[in-house]
Amino acid sequence: MEFEPVIGLEIHLQLATASKIFCSCSTEFGNPPNANTCPVCLGLPGALPVLNRNVPEFAAQLGIALNCEVRLDSQFARKNYFYPDLPKAYQISQFDRPICENGWLDVETESRGKSRIGITRIHMEEDAGKLVHAEGSTDSLVDLNRAGVPLLEIVSEPDVRSAEEAKVYMEKIHAIATTIGVSVGDMEKGHLRCDANVSLRPCGQKEFGTRTETKNLNSFRFVKQAITYEMQRQREEILDGKTIVQETRLWDTDRKVTFSMRSKEEADEYRYFPDPDLPLVRLSPELLETFRKNLPELPEAKQQRFMKEHGLSAYDAEVLSADKEISAYFEKILSYGASPKIACNWVIGELTRVMNESGKSLDEIKLSPENLADLTKFIESGEISNKIAKTIFEEMLNSTKTPAQIIEEKGLKQVSDAGELGQIADELLAANQQQVEQYRAGKTKVIGFFVGQMMKQTRGKGNPAVINSLLKEKLDG
Ligand code: ADP
Ligand code: MG
Ligand code: ZN
């Protein structure tokens, strides 16, 4: 008997607002503990929440992008529980009247092809604070800077069928949210976290099995790893004759296992009720219409356009279009006349590598798109090799010089002249008769030796294609 996984995801997305959801405290990251607090987010008696209007507006925009129905009069509710990072002893969230419902997102994986993942709901809520466990002490400290930071919770239908598909879905939510600008999407700062609900059922069975929920997966990789692990664990339990208990689990990033945190609580245990301090959230149909009209080009449409207009592969076009800044930069390079394929290779290759390694944004790297376009043109015309181009690229990162200036100053132009290269080849063959004989005796691999020597003599500037054909000609002839 084999099993099919059934997976539903709850994604928490931090919104790109300057201030918190119910007070004017800053959402800025990295400030001293409790610097970003006031009576409202400290939960002091008598302090009243006032909704930040950006929050429902962002929620509606994301809802539209995810094909949801947007409610014109949604309602906040109190979710009651005690925890030291929650000073009011309730979290302001939404319950039976969330702002968005009944949406969907199409995803594609190799194993399943195209599939449509239903989006049950998107609701607005406030984040909780953070407990800090001081080293070498049993004390726990409370930092409420994060309390009241606005979040959207995006709940999917149990439509996902593999760990890979869950990862693709999460990546796509990230790409859409950052493209429309409702979230900065900084994974390192926990802007996107996922709870993965996983169950197994025998293939062919309709009813779902019992699920576990693995909380707080804050990277695409962890989502995939944790779901893969959880599927495997549940399978072994079932084959062992044990029953799966519905519970909340956590992912141990070091040991790469999930472990039980607590048994699952039911919704009615939270004693949800409408928050009497907050009025209904009213949105006008006109405002929604404006959002709909002004929605920027979404990643998938951009991917299709890049494939059609620039002849890129589905993969290349998808990587480029997943990031608003990267795709805009790519188009900027093209506007300076770069060839799309070479430009794409440099943007998703070297440029992305430099961004990842330095942790810098595209803005901070300050690489002029015009200069990068020029570099690709030198490569395309064969004036420089890819290897030399990398040297020039490194130099461009640290100066404002144009590729032409760098090539000129360092004498980096590729040597393609058959006369010049031919002379070097003749000298080499004459000086290495033994290898020439080996080649002619059938050991044609020694051509690599000659290519290497030629590259050495031209200090990497020899055109490999010309060198290869010249050597072949001389050795065979
Ligand atoms: P709760 O509010 O208790 O977390 P929900 O019914 O709202 O529970 O579901 C939460 C998530 O779990 C949703 O994404 C849903 O698709 C998913 N889910 C529900 N039942 C199952 C199941 N049997 N297997 C896997 N996922 C499930
Ligand atoms: Mg849940
Ligand atoms: Zn505050």
Side-chain angles (χ1 to χ4, degrees), residues 92-132:
I92 305 179
S93 181
Q94 297 195 287
F95 187 52
D96 51 1
R97 299 177 68 174
I99 188 157
C100 305
E101 281 174 296
N102 301 325
W104 46 264
L105 180 62
D106 287 337
V107 297
E108 191 171 354
T109 55
E110 220 161 275
S111 55
R112 194 183 179 196
K114 280 198 171 108
S115 59
R116 179 160 291 186
I117 310 301
I119 291 172
T120 318
R121 55 189 270 143
I122 301 176
H123 66 250
M124 306 177 277
E125 63 185 25
E126 57 179 349
D127 206 347
K130 192 172 78 178
L131 290 188
V132 184

Side-chain angles (χ1 to χ4, degrees), residues 236-255:
E236 278 165 22
E237 295 273 297
I238 296 169
L239 291 177
D240 261 7
K242 301 187 185 130
T243 44
I244 305 295
V245 274
Q246 186 167 339
E247 63 183 355
T248 302
R249 299 177 72 87
L250 286 177
W251 173 245
D252 183 325
T253 50
D254 295 325
R255 287 161 52 226

Side-chain angles (χ1 to χ4, degrees), residues 133-139:
H133 305 284
E135 211 174 312
S137 143
T138 52
D139 294 351

Side-chain angles (χ1 to χ4, degrees), residues 20 23-25 36-38 40-41:
K20 293 185 178 180
C23 60
S24 57
C25 290
N36 305 353
T37 56
C38 74
V40 173
C41 54

Side-chain angles (χ1 to χ4, degrees), residues 306 310 329-341 343-344 373:
F306 282 178
H310 308 310
Y329 189 84
F330 169 71
E331 295 203 272
K332 189 97 201 186
I333 303 177
L334 295 194
S335 76
Y336 289 111
S339 113
K341 182 62 196 156
C344 168

Side-chain angles (χ1 to χ4, degrees), residues 241-277:
K242 301 187 185 130
T243 44
I244 305 295
V245 274
Q246 186 167 339
E247 63 183 355
T248 302
R249 299 177 72 87
L250 286 177
W251 173 245
D252 183 325
T253 50
D254 295 325
R255 287 161 52 226
K256 300 211 184 330
V257 297
T258 65
F259 61 95
S260 180
M261 178 168 87
R262 55 166 192 251
S263 70
K264 174 83 184 151
E265 59 294 307
E266 297 295 331
D268 58 3
E269 293 172 333
Y270 286 118
R271 297 289 185 270
Y272 279 100
F273 65 89
D275 193 314
D277 288 343

